[in-house]
Amino acid sequence: MRKKMRTRMILSLAGAALFCVPATWAQQQTDWSKVQIKATKVSGNVYMLEGQGGNIAASVGEDGIVIVDDQFAPLADKIQAALKDLKITDKPVRFVINTHYHGDHTGGNVPFNNAGSTLIAQDNVRKRLETGGTAGNGGSIKMENKPAEKAALPIITFEHDVTVHLNGEDIRALHFPSGHTDGDSIIFFPKNNVVHMGDDFVRYGFPFIDVASGGSVQGMIEAMEKATAQLPADVKVIPGHGAISNLDDVRAFTKMLKETSAVVQKAINDHKTLEQMKKEKILEPWAKWKGDFVNDDAFVETLYNSLTGHKGEFVKHN
Ligand SMILES: [Zn+2]
């Protein structure tokens, strides 16, 4: 039941962030007044904030606050209030780091920017926010994004990595190319031993891979393997969506990605069509990963499009 609610939430946040969404998504109206922000201490002075949308990580200390991702604009005041309620500092949110461009992670950029925060993200996050376009798995999952207003665009961008030195910590944002999107970063808090994985690692089942925005399953696997090899064994993991996790959870997720990719690759090599793969239910052994947002058919499409380089049509807005 809880899982169902969780996936419903993901559906409604996708609907709220974007326009021209499928009818079933558009019907999901969010009552922002009912959303509550819950702050959980992860380790030391790093907190996780949950409301609606992607998880937020926050470093809260004597120099001020750094947050990773900012959910949706209507929640910005509640997020600010939740950070104040920790009663650790009266200093403002000085920096917002976006893990990627999707609206459920960057929706609060405008109000945080207006309140004086500096927005930081990988180069492609700014580009995709600026131009807008189609997000999707190259198949049944498809969402249109309008170009974002200027105030939503990161002021500081980087190609490979950037370090924010605040609260006695060297907070590192590391770019991994072509995973969930082409602008993903993983943010590591080395002193407190916490990492925010963005949507390269999620807990809602089969992941949404935005093949239309330069994402790929191969890149997601590579990012997760590199990250698990480099991070301390006992690092606390904040997923893009879902509960605080550890590296074993990340390994199980990566294993599923590799196994399902191999099965779809074999079917491609055997000259099976996408329709045949769906009909034959080739992902049935991984049925427990099926979700309402990304079901087995949608994930077969994702893998097929990712492995064959089919990105679906790209729509540009002016
Ligand atoms: Zn995302």
Side-chain angles (χ1 to χ4, degrees), residues 12-13 15-18 28-37 50-54 56 70-82 103-114 149:
S12 65
L13 69 85
L18 308 151
Q28 312 254 352
Q29 289 288 332
T30 302
D31 183 352
W32 300 110
S33 69
K34 294 216 167 80
V35 178
Q36 290 183 350
I37 306 293
E50 297 165 273
Q52 188 140 340
I56 296 173
D70 52 25
Q71 299 194 344
F72 294 103
L75 300 176
D77 287 345
K78 290 185 182 188
I79 294 166
Q80 297 274 23
D104 53 326
H105 298 257
T106 59
N109 277 11
V110 172
F112 275 99
N113 186 4
N114 289 342
E149 60 186 284

Side-chain angles (χ1 to χ4, degrees), residues 83-101:
L83 292 166
K84 269 217 165 64
D85 281 352
L86 296 172
K87 302 205 188 308
I88 295 168
T89 181
D90 283 331
K91 293 193 176 143
V93 175
R94 293 177 60 183
F95 299 97
V96 176
I97 306 172
N98 294 139
T99 59
H100 63 291
Y101 86 98

Side-chain angles (χ1 to χ4, degrees), residues 100 102 104-105 180-181 199 208 241:
H100 63 291
H102 288 153
D104 53 326
H105 298 257
H180 175 63
T181 69
D199 280 1
F208 168 49
H241 298 267

Side-chain angles (χ1 to χ4, degrees), residues 2-43:
R2 215 183 122 58
K3 192 158 180 229
K4 190 125 202 160
M5 280 170 64
R6 181 84 208 159
T7 41
R8 281 263 156 74
M9 215 177 83
I10 292 157
L11 279 175
S12 65
L13 69 85
L18 308 151
F19 75 107
C20 294
V21 293
T24 47
W25 294 20
Q27 284 162 11
Q28 312 254 352
Q29 289 288 332
T30 302
D31 183 352
W32 300 110
S33 69
K34 294 216 167 80
V35 178
Q36 290 183 350
I37 306 293
K38 183 182 142 207
T40 308
K41 185 175 181 151
V42 184
S43 172

Side-chain angles (χ1 to χ4, degrees), residues 52-255:
Q52 188 140 340
N55 287 326
I56 296 173
S59 164
V60 187
E62 55 181 10
D63 299 332
I65 301 172
V66 183
I67 61 171
V68 176
D69 288 344
D70 52 25
Q71 299 194 344
F72 294 103
L75 300 176
D77 287 345
K78 290 185 182 188
I79 294 166
Q80 297 274 23
L83 292 166
K84 269 217 165 64
D85 281 352
L86 296 172
K87 302 205 188 308
I88 295 168
T89 181
D90 283 331
K91 293 193 176 143
V93 175
R94 293 177 60 183
F95 299 97
V96 176
I97 306 172
N98 294 139
T99 59
H100 63 291
Y101 86 98
H102 288 153
D104 53 326
H105 298 257
T106 59
N109 277 11
V110 172
F112 275 99
N113 186 4
N114 289 342
S117 309
T118 299
L119 309 175
I120 305 175
Q122 206 273 338
D123 297 338
N124 293 332
V125 174
R126 183 179 164 101
K127 279 185 203 155
R128 291 203 179 274
L129 283 171
E130 200 168 23
T131 57
T134 305
N137 70 345
S140 59
I141 300 176
K142 197 171 170 186
M143 300 161 269
E144 304 296 325
N145 296 308
K146 280 197 251 183
E149 60 186 284
K150 197 178 156 212
L153 305 179
I155 297 286
I156 296 175
T157 66
F158 59 91
E159 188 179 0
H160 299 295
D161 58 87
V162 74
T163 307
V164 177
H165 305 270
L166 216 76
N167 297 332
E169 187 150 50
D170 303 327
I171 303 164
R172 301 199 65 205
L174 300 163
H175 171 54
F176 287 89
S178 189
H180 175 63
T181 69
D182 62 4
D184 309 314
S185 294
I186 286 172
I187 289 78
F188 182 42
F189 302 83
K191 192 180 81 175
N192 288 295
N193 202 20
V194 178
V195 65
H196 189 310
M197 292 282 197
D199 280 1
D200 267 339
F201 172 62
V202 294
R203 300 302 303 267
Y204 56 71
F206 288 136
F208 168 49
I209 299 175
D210 191 347
V211 180
S213 303
S216 74
V217 69
Q218 304 95 312
M220 194 179 257
I221 291 168
E222 206 173 302
M224 291 301 91
E225 287 192 325
K226 276 193 182 154
T228 39
Q230 287 173 25
L231 290 163
D234 57 350
V235 69
K236 293 190 174 68
V237 178
I238 300 176
H241 298 267
I244 296 171
S245 307
N246 58 42
L247 286 190
D248 283 340
D249 300 316
V250 177
R251 284 189 197 99
F253 176 79
T254 311
K255 183 168 177 272

